[in-house]
Amino acid sequence: MSMELIILRVEGTEGFEQDYRKYVKYISEERTLRIERIRSEKQKIVSLLTELLIRLNAMKTLGLKNDHITIRLGEHGKPCLEGKPHYHFSVSHAGSFIAFISDFCPVGVDIENSSRGNADIAKRFFTENEYKKIYCQSPAAYTFPEVWTRKEAYVKLVGTGLSHGLNTFDVTDNTEKCFFYTYAYDENYTVSVCTEREASCVKISELNEHMLLEELKKRYDFF
C-alpha cells in the first residue's frame, strides 16, 4: 500500500498576503490566537495554511465537514483530531515548504534545509553509531540531514516531543521497529517519513496556497 506525502510551497504572492486574514474564520480559535502572536507575516501565513491543509485532508479522507473537525494537542504537543483516534497525521515546515502526511497508523514527518547541521551537533544529539555512520565511514552511510529528519519524524510518530532525548534511540539500525523513507527535495531540502507500517512507495504530491484554497472552494464550498 502506498502513502501520500504532501508538500505545499508557500509562494507568498502579494495578493494572498493582503487578504489571507479572511480565511482565519475557517480555522480553530487556538490556531487563530497562535497566529496573532506571530510577528512575521510569512509565518502567520504558514501557520494558517498548515491548519487549512490538515482540514482539507481530513475532509477528503474522513468525509467530514469543516465545522465537525476539532484539532487537539496532546501532552507533548502532538496534534490529533478529536473523536478520530484511528486517524493520524503529522506536519512540518521549513523555509517556504510545509510537509504533511496522514495514515490510519501512527506517522511522523520532518523537513529541513539540507545545509543544517555539523559534526559538533551530531556529537551532541546523535548516538555514537549514527555519528560514526556519518563521519567515520568512507563513503558515509548516512548524511546529517538524513539522520536529523528521521529522528524528528520518529519523535513526532511516538508523540513524546523533545522529552524523548534524540540520543536515546538510533534511526540507522532498525531497533525502533518502524520504517523510514527519506528524500532529497527541491535541491536544498531533506524530508523524512517515519511510519509503523511498510509502504510500497511514498508518493509526493505538490501544491501551493492558491491550489489549496481552490480545492477547498471547489470541492467543499469552503469559502
Side-chain angles (χ1 to χ4, degrees):
M1 183 177 178
S2 63
M3 185 176 297
E4 184 181 23
L5 169 64
I6 300 172
I7 298 182
L8 188 153
R9 181 191 295 268
V10 183
E11 297 182 340
T13 56
E14 182 177 349
F16 185 71
E17 290 180 350
Q18 290 176 348
D19 64 5
Y20 78 89
R21 290 178 178 82
K22 70 182 181 182
Y23 303 110
V24 170
K25 64 183 179 180
Y26 297 100
I27 64 175
S28 64
E29 181 179 354
E30 187 277 334
R31 175 76 67 168
T32 301
L33 293 175
R34 194 188 314 176
I35 289 173
E36 291 176 354
R37 293 193 294 266
I38 299 174
R39 293 185 178 182
S40 165
E41 286 297 298
K42 181 177 180 180
Q43 290 308 310
K44 287 178 183 287
I45 292 173
V46 168
S47 186
L48 168 66
L49 292 173
T50 296
E51 179 153 329
L52 290 178
L53 183 57
I54 294 170
R55 288 174 176 273
L56 173 62
N57 187 267
M59 287 188 286
K60 291 171 65 175
T61 304
L62 302 174
L64 298 174
K65 293 183 178 180
N66 186 54
D67 56 4
H68 293 165
I69 296 172
T70 301
I71 301 172
R72 300 294 188 193
L73 296 180
E75 179 182 357
H76 299 287
K78 182 178 181 178
C80 64
L81 293 193
E82 184 175 84
K84 304 295 178 182
H86 302 301
Y87 174 77
H88 302 266
F89 65 91
S90 181
V91 65
S92 175
H93 56 82
S96 296
F97 298 103
I98 301 169
F100 173 89
I101 196 161
S102 67
D103 202 359
F104 290 103
C105 70
V107 66
V109 68
D110 189 60
I111 185 169
E112 301 284 351
N113 191 301
S114 299
S115 64
R116 178 181 181 180
N118 55 46
D120 290 338
I121 295 177
K123 196 75 172 179
R124 180 180 179 186
F125 293 105
F126 294 175
T127 66
E128 181 179 357
N129 181 55
E130 291 168 338
Y131 181 89
K132 288 180 177 178
K133 288 183 177 180
I134 298 172
Y135 297 104
C136 301
Q137 290 188 7
S138 183
Y142 289 85
T143 64
F144 180 99
E146 183 176 9
V147 173
W148 184 270
T149 54
R150 287 186 175 201
K151 282 184 169 291
E152 291 282 0
Y154 175 77
V155 166
K156 292 179 179 180
L157 178 146
V158 297
T160 57
L162 294 179
S163 64
H164 197 121
L166 293 181
N167 61 358
T168 63
F169 60 95
D170 194 308
V171 298
T172 67
D173 62 3
N174 299 319
T175 57
E176 303 310 319
K177 298 181 180 179
C178 53
F179 300 92
F180 293 98
Y181 304 91
T182 302
Y183 305 91
Y185 184 76
D186 197 56
E187 297 184 0
N188 297 317
Y189 288 84
T190 299
V191 57
S192 285
V193 173
C194 180
T195 174
E196 289 187 348
R197 70 173 178 87
E198 186 174 10
S200 58
C201 69
V202 176
K203 175 187 175 183
I204 298 179
S205 300
E206 302 173 296
L207 69 163
N208 58 34
E209 63 259 39
H210 302 290
M211 295 166 64
L212 171 66
L213 296 175
E214 184 60 29
E215 185 169 5
L216 285 167
K217 181 178 180 180
K218 181 178 179 181
R219 295 185 58 167
Y220 301 100
D221 195 24
F222 203 70
F223 306 119

